[in-house]
Amino acid sequence: MADFIPVCEPLLGGNELKYVTGAVETGWISSSGKYVNQFEESFAKYCGVKYAVAVCNGTVAIHLALSALGIGKGDEVIIPSFTMIATAFAVCYTGAKPVFVDADKDTWNIDVTKIEEKITQNTKAIIPVHIFGNPCNMDAIEKIAKKYNLYILEDAAEAHGAEYRGKKTGSFSDIASFSFFANKNLTTGEGGMVITDSEDYYKKCRYFKNMCFPVDAPRVYSHDDIGFNYRMSNLHAAIGLAQVEKADDYRDMRIRNAMLYKQYLSDCPGIVFQKDEKDSLNVHWMNAIIVEPKLYGHNKDELISHLKSNNIDTRLLFTSMHRQKSLENFGCNCSGEYPVTDWLSQNGFYLPSASSLREEQIVYICDVIKDFAKK
């Protein structure tokens, strides 16, 4: 039996130790220090935008972006029903209500053909989530947003370096958010980023993330607004800067992994992969599969158990937003049917997806999956 293969682990293959050591040796370990600024500047440049604001995680990045847009109580924000619940929670933090739209069965992103039916006079923004690194159909979303005068906030937590029509994710919207959790293509352990081309939103994010202390002015302890402590430490930013330096390498590793999985499972009936959005570069944050029991011969739970017995780690896919008790209790409308999201949740899971995954490990995983199909 092969050694244990985790579902994901970070790859720290560059100057992380050098930069973190520099931060420690100089004593700049809190939210001040050169690495915060350098990380923000390098990530903004990588994404093709003017401004970036580093924060302590991806969830607060969404909240901070919504706050910069002025989203609040009485507003509605459209989000996909198939997403990590952080997207919905961040909307709730503002007092607004998330409104759900089902997923597209091929790309697993928000179904753009169903967005308009959810728009009301209270709708203020759309949050497209680039699921597993697969860019959404931003042309269609931009058209809808323009028609109804809505903000777009890209949730690109899973899509570092992904591209749609040759442009990086995060550069299509009024403002965008990223996560740098340990399993992301780029990581700081914990961390997030807000990016934008708007100087106004940039200044608001800097203001709100730091307890509403004055921006670019002497610090005074008189606060005009309710602010947040969402700062990123210089230590985390040091790791982030090193990660951005190798961003394309890490992106290519994830894409390579996805191609290998598809190659070695191409002859295995009942295993379904996410389809790439047209004119896009999917960076395959996670290699998720759907198991169709009638074709494969087993359901997803049986396959997960079999993989576990062979030292292969997995994770379940997101549970639909309309089935979240917390959101129902908050007052969200959780009625209605979301059949594609339920199909994904009920039949899908992640395979190991680390950037450093070796081809022989992928071959082993695929062999275990194919052999079990025959039993």
Side-chain angles (χ1 to χ4, degrees), residues 186-362:
L186 300 181
T187 183
T188 59
E190 289 280 3
M193 192 78 80
V194 179
I195 67 171
T196 183
D197 277 324
S198 166
E199 184 178 8
D200 179 48
Y201 298 150
Y202 166 66
K203 288 183 176 180
K204 285 179 178 177
C205 285
R206 288 184 60 198
Y207 175 64
F208 283 114
K209 86 157 185 176
N210 190 25
M211 310 290 280
C212 291
F213 281 110
V215 176
D216 299 326
R219 175 171 289 196
V220 294
Y221 290 89
S222 178
H223 302 262
D224 295 333
D225 298 290
I226 302 296
F228 320 115
N229 183 355
Y230 285 171
R231 301 182 298 263
M232 174 182 280
S233 79
N234 201 42
L235 291 171
H236 290 89
I239 298 172
L241 178 62
Q243 290 275 297
V244 177
E245 291 173 350
K246 297 182 72 68
D248 286 339
D249 292 337
Y250 295 162
R251 179 182 73 174
D252 292 346
M253 290 177 182
R254 299 272 181 148
I255 294 172
R256 166 189 166 274
N257 290 346
M259 298 306 103
L260 290 173
Y261 271 122
K262 290 179 180 179
Q263 173 186 333
Y264 291 119
L265 290 173
S266 62
D267 59 348
C268 187
I271 300 298
V272 178
F273 287 95
Q274 180 187 40
K275 293 183 180 179
D276 294 350
E277 192 73 57
K278 184 180 179 182
D279 298 324
S280 72
L281 177 66
N282 185 344
V283 294
H284 301 281
W285 165 60
M286 283 289 167
N287 290 287
I289 60 172
I290 302 299
V291 180
E292 296 185 329
K294 291 182 180 179
L295 293 175
Y296 180 69
H298 302 276
N299 63 36
K300 76 109 172 6
D301 294 325
E302 292 167 334
L303 177 54
I304 288 171
S305 178
H306 182 69
L307 289 167
K308 183 178 180 180
S309 70
N310 283 274
N311 274 344
I312 300 167
D313 196 17
T314 60
R315 288 291 185 279
L316 297 175
L317 300 191
F318 310 125
T319 297
S320 178
M321 295 302 96
H322 83 291
R323 297 190 181 278
Q324 302 288 349
K325 191 68 175 177
S326 57
L327 299 181
E328 183 180 357
N329 290 341
F330 186 76
C332 299
N333 181 358
C334 293
S335 63
E337 301 295 325
Y338 299 84
V340 177
T341 300
D342 283 338
W343 172 73
L344 292 167
S345 301
Q346 292 163 8
N347 297 288
F349 63 93
Y350 304 147
L351 295 170
S353 299
S355 299
S356 58
L357 206 61
R358 302 188 306 276
E359 183 170 0
E360 57 264 34
Q361 292 177 304
I362 294 175

Side-chain angles (χ1 to χ4, degrees), residues 123-173:
T123 307
K124 294 297 187 295
I126 304 171
I127 303 182
V129 181
H130 306 300
I131 294 293
F132 307 146
N134 192 18
C136 294
N137 182 343
M138 293 308 300
D139 284 348
I141 292 169
E142 286 179 332
K143 185 176 180 180
I144 294 169
K146 185 176 181 180
K147 179 179 178 181
Y148 293 95
N149 193 29
L150 304 176
Y151 295 116
I152 302 175
L153 192 176
E154 286 173 82
D155 181 346
E158 305 165 7
H160 314 74
E163 297 179 8
Y164 179 76
R165 296 191 184 278
K167 287 180 58 179
K168 293 281 200 317
T169 51
S171 65
F172 292 89
S173 48

Side-chain angles (χ1 to χ4, degrees), residues 68-84:
L69 295 176
I71 303 299
K73 188 175 181 179
D75 294 337
E76 295 176 353
V77 178
I78 290 176
I79 72 169
S81 55
F82 185 64
T83 184
M84 205 279 184

Side-chain angles (χ1 to χ4, degrees), residues 174 267 363:
D174 297 284
D267 59 348
V363 170

